[in-house]
Amino acid sequence: MEEFLGKQYVMVSQENFDDYLVFMGVGYISRKAAISLRPTHCLTRNDDGTYTFALKSKLANSSCTFTPGEKFQETKADGVKVEALITFEGNIMTHKQIETNERTSTHIREFHPDKLSVTTTAVGFEKTVTRVFQLVQ
């Protein structure tokens, strides 16, 4: 994962994201705002050995700081608090989020030299969300 630290990736395409937000109970106005954004993702390692994964956009910013393989409390961009677990395997970062109502989402981020591919699934959601981010030069 070292070679991808500190690099910024901006979203260039998405599929089924609006349907996922409906499934997750996000309201109409918040959904429309979320799908119109072109957020930037960035993963960094902190001096204490933890990592920070940040999502930045013109409308909202969010981040989570974590130790790979250890559960932590996360507040998602929509304000919902979840139990989260992030693991690394090669160039893949798997991010699992469990809400208090047990609704579970998994985001698999596959880092490449020129792009970041994100695949999101959720228990009970019949579709797969795909989002592609290009490396910011």
Side-chain angles (χ1 to χ4, degrees):
M1 199 57 75
E2 294 293 317
E3 66 187 276
F4 306 110
L5 295 176
K7 295 188 177 189
Q8 295 186 30
Y9 299 85
V10 65
M11 194 185 71
V12 294
S13 68
Q14 60 188 357
E15 186 176 316
N16 296 323
F17 188 55
D18 188 49
D19 293 336
Y20 170 73
L21 295 176
V22 168
F23 176 79
M24 296 303 286
V26 176
Y28 178 81
I29 293 173
S30 296
R31 261 192 354 263
K32 294 309 173 192
I35 62 172
S36 70
L37 296 176
R38 295 293 178 238
T40 300
H41 286 189
C42 184
L43 177 67
T44 56
R45 186 173 53 228
N46 305 307
D47 292 338
D48 64 359
T50 62
Y51 291 79
T52 297
F53 183 70
L55 180 148
K56 298 176 184 177
S57 71
K58 291 181 180 182
L59 185 60
N61 298 320
S62 67
S63 66
C64 62
T65 298
F66 63 94
T67 299
E70 293 183 9
K71 291 181 180 179
F72 64 99
Q73 294 300 308
E74 176 184 5
T75 302
K76 299 188 321 179
D78 61 2
V80 174
K81 294 183 186 313
V82 297
E83 179 180 85
L85 175 68
I86 297 178
T87 58
F88 296 146
E89 185 174 331
N91 67 325
I92 297 175
M93 181 174 111
T94 301
H95 185 174
K96 186 174 183 177
Q97 298 172 316
I98 303 172
E99 295 183 11
T100 55
N101 62 7
E102 298 299 316
R103 189 168 28 207
T104 303
S105 295
T106 302
H107 314 278
I108 298 175
R109 294 177 174 90
E110 190 169 350
F111 290 84
H112 301 277
D114 61 339
K115 70 178 181 177
L116 167 64
S117 301
V118 183
T119 303
T120 298
T121 57
V123 174
F125 182 60
E126 300 298 323
K127 298 179 181 180
T128 298
V129 178
T130 55
R131 301 175 89 191
V132 178
F133 297 75
Q134 279 188 327
L135 178 66
V136 176
Q137 301 290 348

